Amino acid sequence: MPISEPQRIVVAVDLDYFFAQCEEVRHPELKARPVVICVYSGRTEDSGVVSTANYVARSFGVKSGIPIVNAKKLLDKLPEAVFLPTDLEYYETTSDKIMQELRSHSKMFERVSIDEAFIDVSSECNGNYSRAAEIGKGIKSEIRNKQSLTCSLGIARNKSLAKMAADSKKPDGFVVLHPDHIEPFLKDLPVRKLIGVGSKMEAMMQSLRVRTIGELSAFDESKLIGVFGKNMGTRFKLLARGIDHDPVEEKIAEQYSRIITLKTDADSFSFAKELTPLVEDISNWLKVSKRRCRTIGVIYVTSTIKLKNRSNTLSTGTDSAEEILAQASMLFERIFASEEKGSQKIRRIGIRVSKLSEDSPKPDAPSSLTHYFDKSS
DNA sequence: AACAAGGGTTTAG
DNA sequence: TCATCTAAACCCTTGTT
């Protein structure tokens, strides 16, 4: 039984090892050398993690997320290896130029992150995958000619499949997944390749004896719901069958946060001053984007790298730096006051705002009409 | 039963 | 040993309507 899905054609574009490739563009002599882009925490000389590495560095085991120190060990026989700090402004500028180009291919466009986007080309292709492939080829050469960058591109009938197609051939890949080839494409892939299945979900599936996407698609749905919950159980089952109705559309931000690493771990609210730049940044963002937040929270990471958070929801939205700082300070004071148990030291601190509303009239829709129409009927 | 809030977990890039 | 930063989606519990 063919699967019922509206006929769409979606293109997924994924810029290859983006930050490192940006550096190769402005310093072409780096191309033959291992390039490691680092997020330095500022705690000690080399503390921090690897953000991205080019494929030369990857061939030595360097990858996203590993400590910079470990990357240096992996490359210590290679004096030509380079370690660079992130230059987000430069990457953003490059990304913006590319995204602007991509946007021109369809009204239906979605920027997923700095290096990823979806384009729904249904209306321009009318179900014709050859047309979609031409558009895809065009996109690849455009990015290559104008920015000297390679990308991996996937074309399929929905976002999840387009993404998986793009992931299946990297770097500089081009994969058109025709509807007739979806089943064989998915059948023997490990469940880990499914969008949304990370190491934890993979482990749970392993204990259910589910190893491949094909096996997942045949697994009893109510059992999946029992294990993963209603939303995820249902979603995994659908994704495994190649079904994904998620539309290609721009999302509006629902939260904004800033977090930093302290020079030394704190066991009291001694870092009040460090909050100022975070608060300024957040307040500024709210004002520029003409929004207000109703929930203000603090995020912190303990010395054992446990992530925690505390938050408070106000009755009315704000974009004021003073007010956000006051709320955040109160929450941190409360954390140290409560002492809790064991009282872990704090390594990283941050602030998050959410329950964002449009700037002007009211922070939220009225929860009930009874307030306005008091019972007279 | 439906919804809001608060806090934790997982994924992803 | 070492462990960044941001955002989203979901889960569970508790409390209110």
Side-chain angles (χ1 to χ4, degrees):
Chain A
M1 12 92 256
I3 296 155
S4 126
E5 253 206 312
Q7 294 308 322
R8 288 191 291 160
I9 302 184
V10 175
V11 181
V13 182
D14 191 337
L15 301 166
D16 297 323
Y17 62 105
F18 184 53
F19 296 175
Q21 211 191 344
C22 283
E23 297 295 347
E24 289 179 356
V25 168
R26 59 175 170 185
H27 303 296
E29 68 278 10
L30 295 182
K31 282 187 190 177
R33 304 163 56 180
V35 177
V36 184
I37 309 299
C38 306
V39 181
Y40 293 100
S41 70
R43 178 158 268 232
T44 64
E45 174 77 357
D46 278 336
S47 69
V49 300
V50 171
S51 172
T52 325
N54 69 356
Y55 280 76
V56 182
R58 287 185 200 193
S59 72
F60 293 94
V62 177
K63 55 182 180 180
S64 300
I66 69 169
I68 295 164
V69 167
N70 294 8
K72 292 206 162 172
K73 278 179 200 144
L74 290 167
L75 297 172
D76 67 354
K77 294 279 146 50
L78 297 133
E80 72 271 31
V82 290
F83 295 80
L84 300 170
T86 57
D87 180 355
L88 284 172
E89 271 202 46
Y90 171 57
Y91 312 144
E92 289 281 1
T93 305
T94 304
S95 171
D96 286 347
K97 288 179 190 160
I98 294 168
M99 295 296 166
Q100 193 183 321
E101 288 289 343
L102 295 183
R103 210 179 290 272
S104 74
H105 287 277
S106 168
K107 179 115 191 147
M108 297 180 79
F109 172 84
E110 177 180 347
R111 176 186 158 137
V112 180
S113 70
I114 194 168
D115 64 352
E116 258 188 81
F118 289 113
I119 310 161
D120 185 326
V121 293
S122 308
S123 351
E124 15 293 292
C125 296
N126 201 15
N128 185 333
Y129 275 75
S130 305
R131 294 265 351 255
E134 284 168 30
I135 294 176
K137 285 291 186 191
I139 288 170
K140 276 181 74 87
S141 20
E142 202 169 73
I143 296 176
R144 166 155 304 177
N145 296 338
K146 298 198 177 163
Q147 305 298 331
S148 306
L149 289 171
T150 66
C151 63
S152 293
L153 195 143
I155 299 178
R157 69 173 179 206
N158 60 46
K159 291 205 289 187
S160 131
L161 289 171
K163 172 82 177 122
M164 282 193 275
D167 287 347
S168 72
K169 194 157 184 287
K170 287 183 161 195
D172 203 12
F174 180 79
V175 177
V176 179
L177 182 52
H178 191 274
D180 294 344
H181 299 151
I182 293 171
E183 285 212 20
F185 174 81
L186 292 177
K187 186 168 170 291
D188 295 321
L189 274 187
V191 286
R192 186 67 174 76
K193 299 285 182 184
L194 207 60
I195 307 304
V197 176
S199 64
K200 309 285 180 173
M201 299 297 160
E202 180 189 32
M204 286 202 255
M205 288 184 188
Q206 203 123 57
S207 67
L208 296 176
R209 299 272 111 106
V210 172
R211 200 186 62 80
T212 66
I213 296 178
E215 287 162 5
L216 180 60
S217 73
F219 204 82
D220 182 73
E221 183 171 356
S222 52
K223 289 204 178 96
L224 287 180
I225 291 172
V227 174
F228 298 104
K230 184 83 167 71
N231 282 291
M232 290 176 136
T234 316
R235 177 148 177 89
F236 286 151
K237 177 83 179 182
L238 286 171
L239 289 183
R241 295 163 60 208
I243 302 172
D244 173 18
H245 296 300
D246 197 23
V248 173
E249 64 186 3
E250 293 281 15
K251 311 280 189 278
I252 49 148
E254 307 227 324
Q255 59 175 251
Y256 189 86
S257 65
R258 281 293 174 266
I259 183 166
I260 54 166
T261 301
L262 295 171
K263 283 273 179 297
T264 59
D265 293 2
D267 52 9
S268 72
F269 186 34
S270 52
F271 47 79
K273 276 193 64 190
E274 317 289 330
L275 295 177
T276 309
L278 307 185
V279 166
E280 291 297 332
D281 185 337
I282 291 169
S283 168
N284 187 52
W285 180 83
L286 288 168
K287 284 168 179 160
V288 166
S289 54
K290 295 201 195 305
R291 307 184 67 179
R292 288 164 180 269
C293 65
R294 216 153 63 76
T295 297
I296 297 167
V298 299
I299 316 157
Y300 61 99
V301 175
T302 64
S303 357
T304 51
I305 319 294
K306 277 298 209 179
L307 180 72
K308 310 248 189 197
N309 61 80
R310 293 291 179 272
S311 69
N312 198 3
T313 299
L314 312 172
S315 55
T316 163
T318 184
D319 60 6
S320 142
E322 293 70 31
E323 197 165 351
I324 294 168
L325 180 58
Q327 288 296 322
S329 302
M330 195 168 74
L331 290 164
F332 275 123
E333 298 275 22
R334 192 191 297 168
I335 288 160
F336 288 112
S338 72
E339 188 67 32
E340 311 208 326
K341 53 169 178 80
S343 68
Q344 278 287 334
K345 283 192 171 186
I346 293 183
R347 177 188 177 94
R348 304 172 59 211
I349 54 165
I351 301 180
R352 169 162 61 222
V353 295
S354 55
K355 295 227 180 354
L356 305 177
S357 64
E358 294 309 308
D359 186 32
S360 18
K362 29 189 151 18
D364 224 351
S367 57
S368 161
L369 289 175
T370 60
H371 175 65
Y372 298 101
F373 300 105
D374 232 317
K375 47 200 71 205
S376 37
S377 46

